[in-house]
Amino acid sequence: MTDTARQLLQELMGELQGGGKQYTDSDVCKDHLVDFCPHQLFTNTKVDLGPCDLIHDDRLRTAYQSSSDKNHLGYESSFYDRIQRLSHDLQRKVRRALDR
């Protein structure tokens, strides 16, 4: 039983410990690479976005931040747009709640 659990743990941790992942892979959270993932902001509140299904690996973030691709892949602009939309949505919800 412990061998099975150990093997399962190694398989799961292997994905997060490098495992051939690159920051350009589709299952890596691009927002986390730029700065932070919005899904982690408002946990356990009314505006909780739910869990992010993508990989949040600080080693990938460090690799991205130090790469020459940093400002050329468009991750920053999509991150900014997403944060701006989130901010407008939250402002609208607050305004609506204050009007009641």
Side-chain angles (χ1 to χ4, degrees):
M1 172 89 174
T2 57
D3 291 333
T4 307
R6 183 178 297 118
Q7 182 183 6
L8 180 62
L9 182 62
Q10 286 176 347
E11 288 175 11
L12 292 173
M13 293 303 291
E15 291 179 6
L16 296 177
Q17 294 178 351
K21 287 290 174 195
Q22 295 183 359
Y23 57 82
T24 55
D25 291 347
S26 63
D27 58 347
V28 174
C29 181
K30 306 307 187 247
D31 294 335
H32 180 76
L33 294 177
V34 173
D35 196 3
F36 61 89
C37 180
H39 288 266
Q40 297 173 336
L41 283 181
F42 304 107
T43 55
N44 300 324
T45 67
K46 290 182 180 181
V47 292
D48 189 351
L49 298 175
C52 183
D53 297 329
L54 301 174
I55 295 173
H56 298 123
D57 189 352
D58 289 333
R59 283 175 289 184
L60 293 175
R61 175 195 279 175
T62 303
Y64 172 72
Q65 293 290 333
S66 63
S67 74
S68 61
D69 292 335
K70 183 177 178 187
N71 293 314
H72 302 293
L73 294 175
Y75 298 161
E76 286 80 8
S77 62
S78 63
F79 172 76
Y80 177 74
D81 292 342
R82 183 175 178 149
I83 295 301
Q84 196 170 30
R85 275 184 276 134
L86 181 62
S87 174
H88 289 295
D89 290 343
L90 293 175
Q91 287 174 3
R92 188 184 72 237
K93 287 180 182 182
V94 168
R95 248 184 267 120
R96 205 177 323 152
L98 291 175
D99 289 343
R100 293 183 197 165

